[in-house]
Amino acid sequence: KLPEPDYYSNLTADYSFNHSDGIIRFFHHGDYYGKGLTNWTISVMVPGEPINGDYIIIDLVDDQLSEKANLNTDDVIGTYTCVADTSAAAANTFIAGSVIDNKREYSWYYMCVDGYYGNDDRAPLKNGTITIAKEGTGYLVTFDCVDDNNHKITGTFNCPVVETY
């Protein structure tokens, strides 16, 4: 077995961003963690094909229990606090990024290059808050997070484009 590194982030400093033309993608997983709450995987990214730029995946648990038949992405509006792992999943939390069996899981920041992520800048979101607010017909996602090497990852994605899967 390979030794665990001290940290998985390869950021060398704090990182901030502000995107006014983002895309938000919602993936509904129902009561995935068995807590009587809804689990979502949400990705925010810059537009373009292939994608080049900031790309963030968050694994969050909202305070609703929604079925696929009556899905409402507005259920995710609110502020989410980071928790260490799935055993701590609760209403209005997001799961900290980690590496399990050499695979990046849960909540991560990536710099996407030519449609690929994970090879360039990357960092697990290990602490902080994420706020999702309604903005016109889309959403404003605000990050106030820290990676596993204590670099701040802060900024906003204003996402007029909404995709649900």
Side-chain angles (χ1 to χ4, degrees), residues 125-138:
L125 304 180
K126 281 294 198 184
N127 207 335
T129 60
I130 297 169
T131 301
I132 302 173
K134 193 74 174 168
E135 181 77 23
T137 56

PDB file of all heavy atoms in Angstrom, residues 125-138:
ATOM      1  N   LEU A 125     -12.046  20.103  -0.633  1.00  0.00           N
ATOM      2  CA  LEU A 125     -12.647  21.098   0.254  1.00  0.00           C
ATOM      3  C   LEU A 125     -12.768  20.428   1.615  1.00  0.00           C
ATOM      4  O   LEU A 125     -13.512  19.464   1.772  1.00  0.00           O
ATOM      5  CB  LEU A 125     -14.011  21.538  -0.279  1.00  0.00           C
ATOM      6  CG  LEU A 125     -14.016  22.082  -1.708  1.00  0.00           C
ATOM      7  CD1 LEU A 125     -15.424  22.480  -2.121  1.00  0.00           C
ATOM      8  CD2 LEU A 125     -13.047  23.233  -1.880  1.00  0.00           C
ATOM      9  N   LYS A 126     -12.009  20.915   2.607  1.00  0.00           N
ATOM     10  CA  LYS A 126     -11.910  20.235   3.896  1.00  0.00           C
ATOM     11  C   LYS A 126     -12.577  20.963   5.046  1.00  0.00           C
ATOM     12  O   LYS A 126     -12.748  20.397   6.115  1.00  0.00           O
ATOM     13  CB  LYS A 126     -10.437  20.016   4.266  1.00  0.00           C
ATOM     14  CG  LYS A 126      -9.804  18.848   3.553  1.00  0.00           C
ATOM     15  CD  LYS A 126     -10.448  17.545   4.000  1.00  0.00           C
ATOM     16  CE  LYS A 126      -9.592  16.350   3.671  1.00  0.00           C
ATOM     17  NZ  LYS A 126     -10.262  15.100   4.011  1.00  0.00           N
ATOM     18  N   ASN A 127     -12.934  22.226   4.836  1.00  0.00           N
ATOM     19  CA  ASN A 127     -13.564  22.985   5.898  1.00  0.00           C
ATOM     20  C   ASN A 127     -14.262  24.178   5.267  1.00  0.00           C
ATOM     21  O   ASN A 127     -13.978  24.532   4.131  1.00  0.00           O
ATOM     22  CB  ASN A 127     -12.518  23.453   6.925  1.00  0.00           C
ATOM     23  CG  ASN A 127     -13.127  23.635   8.304  1.00  0.00           C
ATOM     24  OD1 ASN A 127     -14.325  23.864   8.443  1.00  0.00           O
ATOM     25  ND2 ASN A 127     -12.288  23.534   9.318  1.00  0.00           N
ATOM     26  N   GLY A 128     -15.178  24.806   6.024  1.00  0.00           N
ATOM     27  CA  GLY A 128     -15.799  26.027   5.542  1.00  0.00           C
ATOM     28  C   GLY A 128     -17.274  25.882   5.250  1.00  0.00           C
ATOM     29  O   GLY A 128     -17.926  24.931   5.690  1.00  0.00           O
ATOM     30  N   THR A 129     -17.776  26.845   4.474  1.00  0.00           N
ATOM     31  CA  THR A 129     -19.193  26.868   4.121  1.00  0.00           C
ATOM     32  C   THR A 129     -19.371  27.106   2.625  1.00  0.00           C
ATOM     33  O   THR A 129     -18.508  27.697   1.962  1.00  0.00           O
ATOM     34  CB  THR A 129     -19.956  27.976   4.878  1.00  0.00           C
ATOM     35  OG1 THR A 129     -19.385  29.247   4.542  1.00  0.00           O
ATOM     36  CG2 THR A 129     -19.921  27.767   6.385  1.00  0.00           C
ATOM     37  N   ILE A 130     -20.515  26.646   2.143  1.00  0.00           N
ATOM     38  CA  ILE A 130     -20.954  26.897   0.770  1.00  0.00           C
ATOM     39  C   ILE A 130     -22.391  27.377   0.875  1.00  0.00           C
ATOM     40  O   ILE A 130     -23.212  26.748   1.549  1.00  0.00           O
ATOM     41  CB  ILE A 130     -20.878  25.614  -0.085  1.00  0.00           C
ATOM     42  CG1 ILE A 130     -19.425  25.134  -0.200  1.00  0.00           C
ATOM     43  CG2 ILE A 130     -21.481  25.867  -1.472  1.00  0.00           C
ATOM     44  CD1 ILE A 130     -19.271  23.747  -0.807  1.00  0.00           C
ATOM     45  N   THR A 131     -22.685  28.497   0.224  1.00  0.00           N
ATOM     46  CA  THR A 131     -24.043  29.046   0.242  1.00  0.00           C
ATOM     47  C   THR A 131     -24.604  29.036  -1.172  1.00  0.00           C
ATOM     48  O   THR A 131     -23.923  29.461  -2.111  1.00  0.00           O
ATOM     49  CB  THR A 131     -24.044  30.479   0.810  1.00  0.00           C
ATOM     50  OG1 THR A 131     -23.506  30.429   2.141  1.00  0.00           O
ATOM     51  CG2 THR A 131     -25.452  31.057   0.853  1.00  0.00           C
ATOM     52  N   ILE A 132     -25.834  28.546  -1.293  1.00  0.00           N
ATOM     53  CA  ILE A 132     -26.525  28.508  -2.581  1.00  0.00           C
ATOM     54  C   ILE A 132     -27.757  29.389  -2.463  1.00  0.00           C
ATOM     55  O   ILE A 132     -28.584  29.196  -1.561  1.00  0.00           O
ATOM     56  CB  ILE A 132     -26.912  27.063  -2.961  1.00  0.00           C
ATOM     57  CG1 ILE A 132     -25.658  26.179  -3.014  1.00  0.00           C
ATOM     58  CG2 ILE A 132     -27.659  27.052  -4.300  1.00  0.00           C
ATOM     59  CD1 ILE A 132     -25.937  24.700  -3.213  1.00  0.00           C
ATOM     60  N   ALA A 133     -27.849  30.381  -3.348  1.00  0.00           N
ATOM     61  CA  ALA A 133     -28.969  31.325  -3.336  1.00  0.00           C
ATOM     62  C   ALA A 133     -29.599  31.375  -4.727  1.00  0.00           C
ATOM     63  O   ALA A 133     -28.938  31.100  -5.734  1.00  0.00           O
ATOM     64  CB  ALA A 133     -28.478  32.721  -2.941  1.00  0.00           C
ATOM     65  N   LYS A 134     -30.867  31.751  -4.774  1.00  0.00           N
ATOM     66  CA  LYS A 134     -31.549  31.926  -6.047  1.00  0.00           C
ATOM     67  C   LYS A 134     -31.021  33.213  -6.682  1.00  0.00           C
ATOM     68  O   LYS A 134     -30.811  34.213  -5.989  1.00  0.00           O
ATOM     69  CB  LYS A 134     -33.060  32.025  -5.807  1.00  0.00           C
ATOM     70  CG  LYS A 134     -33.876  31.892  -7.050  1.00  0.00           C
ATOM     71  CD  LYS A 134     -33.901  30.460  -7.539  1.00  0.00           C
ATOM     72  CE  LYS A 134     -34.849  30.335  -8.725  1.00  0.00           C
ATOM     73  NZ  LYS A 134     -34.697  29.063  -9.398  1.00  0.00           N
ATOM     74  N   GLU A 135     -30.768  33.182  -7.971  1.00  0.00           N
ATOM     75  CA  GLU A 135     -30.292  34.367  -8.701  1.00  0.00           C
ATOM     76  C   GLU A 135     -30.977  34.343 -10.061  1.00  0.00           C
ATOM     77  O   GLU A 135     -30.580  33.568 -10.939  1.00  0.00           O
ATOM     78  CB  GLU A 135     -28.767  34.320  -8.839  1.00  0.00           C
ATOM     79  CG  GLU A 135     -28.165  35.506  -9.549  1.00  0.00           C
ATOM     80  CD  GLU A 135     -28.071  36.756  -8.684  1.00  0.00           C
ATOM     81  OE1 GLU A 135     -28.053  36.646  -7.443  1.00  0.00           O
ATOM     82  OE2 GLU A 135     -28.023  37.845  -9.269  1.00  0.00           O
ATOM     83  N   GLY A 136     -32.040  35.136 -10.215  1.00  0.00           N
ATOM     84  CA  GLY A 136     -32.811  35.104 -11.460  1.00  0.00           C
ATOM     85  C   GLY A 136     -33.417  33.719 -11.641  1.00  0.00           C
ATOM     86  O   GLY A 136     -34.027  33.181 -10.724  1.00  0.00           O
ATOM     87  N   THR A 137     -33.206  33.110 -12.804  1.00  0.00           N
ATOM     88  CA  THR A 137     -33.701  31.752 -13.038  1.00  0.00           C
ATOM     89  C   THR A 137     -32.641  30.715 -12.679  1.00  0.00           C
ATOM     90  O   THR A 137     -32.863  29.519 -12.823  1.00  0.00           O
ATOM     91  CB  THR A 137     -34.116  31.564 -14.508  1.00  0.00           C
ATOM     92  OG1 THR A 137     -32.987  31.883 -15.336  1.00  0.00           O
ATOM     93  CG2 THR A 137     -35.283  32.467 -14.864  1.00  0.00           C
ATOM     94  N   GLY A 138     -31.482  31.179 -12.220  1.00  0.00           N
ATOM     95  CA  GLY A 138     -30.388  30.279 -11.863  1.00  0.00           C
ATOM     96  C   GLY A 138     -30.023  30.390 -10.399  1.00  0.00           C
ATOM     97  O   GLY A 138     -30.871  30.691  -9.557  1.00  0.00           O
TER      98      GLY A 138
END
